[in-house]
Each structure stands twice: as structure tokens, then as C-alpha cells.
Amino acid sequence: MTVQLQRMLQRCSGRVPFTASPIPWHVKLQEPISACGQRCFSSKVSIPELASVQKKVTGRFGVEWFIGRRPTEVAAKMVELPKVPFDPKPYKLDFRMYPGVASGLGAEYYFRDGQKHPLSYFHLRGSSSGDVVAVGATDKRAREARTIDNYVKERTRGFAVQLVLEGRGVKAYWEPNPPHLRARLGVGAKVTDLTQYCTRDPDVDIHVNKQGDLIVLHGPTKERVGTLAYR
């Protein structure tokens, strides 16, 4: 063995004297070989050429190394619901019945241009059926559109929101009578005057139960009721 190799083996075993000269840099870069002729550490074979990599040719790390690559882009908020299997038969025209007030939308809505599923509209008046509107389409979502439903509800029953007050000492009450609404939001909390919200929209009615833990807001449209309830 060469002198440089002997010094390297002595240095590994801790028997190198302090006065020994440092090993040249070109000797340090060489691969150390043990007395039996085998490599002590390191490998001349590159990682892509290893047998373990050649056996599982994936080029990936972590979980993907075991189960394969998976898409990283997901739509967690817009989950696609299962769809109805496609039926190659001709489309079936079904109808949905609405009160007569639905006719107020007029031909501008029912016969508008650019509809994916065109609507069929019939306004029926009879002694047996009464005043009803029949809306037909081959798609269920088209004949049960939210526009028609909101239009009918705005002119009949309206919309309502319930505010549930929960907690110890939380209570709402009239003092002495409407529209003077008071609310206590906890034990030891100061009473809050909510009269300004009761008089802000004259078409929105506010009701409070006897226990004071439920407030109901009722009004003609979603926008007006929701705006007042959010405040």
C-alpha cells in the first residue's frame, strides 16, 4: 500500500501522530479502500442506476413512491355531485304548477332568448283548478328556477330569518312596547338599545318570544330581510 493510504488508515484508527503532515486534497477525494479490497463508504454508482431505483421506476419520493402520483389541484369547496346517467331516449316534457301571481314575470322571462332548455308557459283559469300557471321544460332545474320561486314568495308569504340567542343571561325583550327593543348579551353586560334597527325598514316586522331567546324578522324580499338581520 502507498504511504498516503497507510496514513489514511492510521488517521481512521486514531493512531496518526500530531506531527503528521496533512493529507493532500487530491488524496482526500479518492475513494478509501479497506484492507480486504472493498469500499469503506460512498459509492461510485449514481442514484438512478441503483438496483432499488431500477426495480421501482417512479422517480418520486414520499407517499407518491408507494401509491403513485396524485393530482395536487383539488376543488374541496366545489364538490361535483353525482350526475344522473345519460338516457339516450327522447327528452320528456314535464310541468310545474305555480300560483297565478307567477304570470307577472310575463313573456320577457318565459320566452326570452338564449335558453338552454326553452320553457313552455300556460296560464290557466278554471273553476276546478283555479288561477294557476303551468311551466314546462325538459330540464327539472329550468322549470323549477329560483327566479320564479322568489317572485311568487315575494308576493305571497315573504321571507323570514330567525336569530337564536344562546348563552347565560342572554335575553331580548320589549321595553315597554315595540318598537323599543332591548337586548342583554350576557351576565353583567350592559343593556343594548336596538330600537333603531326596528324602525330602519318599515316593511320588516320583528317578533320576540316570551323567553327572549328567539328573534324573528319577516319581510317582503330576501335582500331587505337579510340586510337587517346581518346588522
Side-chain angles (χ1 to χ4, degrees):
M1 292 187 292
T2 60
V3 179
Q4 291 83 356
L5 184 57
Q6 291 178 359
R7 291 180 178 177
M8 184 177 295
L9 293 177
Q10 292 177 1
R11 187 177 184 85
C12 294
S13 60
R15 292 182 296 176
V16 180
F18 294 98
T19 58
S21 59
I23 301 175
W25 65 271
H26 62 278
V27 178
K28 294 182 180 179
L29 296 178
Q30 294 179 359
E31 180 184 4
I33 303 176
S34 61
C36 59
Q38 298 180 354
R39 294 189 295 270
C40 296
F41 58 90
S42 181
S43 175
K44 288 186 177 181
V45 183
S46 60
I47 293 179
E49 297 178 359
L50 294 176
S52 59
V53 178
Q54 293 293 335
K55 187 176 181 180
K56 292 185 177 181
V57 184
T58 59
R60 295 180 287 271
F61 300 91
V63 180
E64 293 183 353
W65 192 79
F66 298 95
I67 61 177
R69 179 156 297 185
R70 298 230 179 146
T72 56
E73 296 180 359
V74 296
K77 294 185 178 180
M78 300 294 293
V79 180
E80 186 176 359
L81 300 177
K83 298 180 180 179
V84 180
F86 175 73
D87 189 0
K89 295 186 298 184
Y91 290 103
K92 182 179 179 181
L93 181 63
D94 292 330
F95 287 87
R96 169 71 184 274
M97 308 303 291
Y98 292 96
V101 294
S103 60
L105 290 173
E108 293 81 4
Y109 174 78
Y110 295 107
F111 302 113
R112 65 188 186 276
D113 297 331
Q115 298 185 70
K116 185 177 180 180
H117 302 279
L119 298 175
S120 298
Y121 164 75
F122 300 94
H123 191 182
L124 309 176
R125 292 188 180 93
S127 58
S128 59
S129 61
D131 187 8
V132 295
V133 171
V135 180
T138 56
D139 185 38
K140 181 179 179 181
R141 298 182 61 183
R143 60 179 177 266
E144 297 180 1
R146 189 176 300 175
T147 302
I148 306 175
D149 188 60
N150 290 341
Y151 184 85
V152 173
K153 290 179 180 178
E154 287 178 1
R155 284 153 181 80
T156 53
R157 67 179 189 182
F159 297 90
V161 173
Q162 291 184 348
L163 302 179
V164 180
L165 305 180
E166 188 176 11
R168 185 185 175 195
V170 179
K171 184 178 181 180
Y173 54 94
W174 301 109
E175 185 180 318
N177 297 317
H180 304 285
L181 181 62
R182 304 289 189 272
R184 186 176 64 247
L185 303 180
V187 178
K190 294 183 178 180
V191 177
T192 305
D193 187 4
L194 303 178
T195 304
Q196 57 174 336
Y197 300 103
C198 298
T199 58
R200 180 165 297 181
D201 194 333
D203 293 333
V204 177
D205 299 329
I206 300 178
H207 307 276
V208 182
N209 64 344
K210 293 183 179 180
Q211 289 77 14
D213 57 355
L214 181 63
I215 303 176
V216 180
L217 287 77
H218 179 266
T221 63
K222 284 184 178 180
E223 293 79 8
R224 298 170 67 176
V225 175
T227 300
L228 187 59
Y230 182 78
R231 294 180 182 277

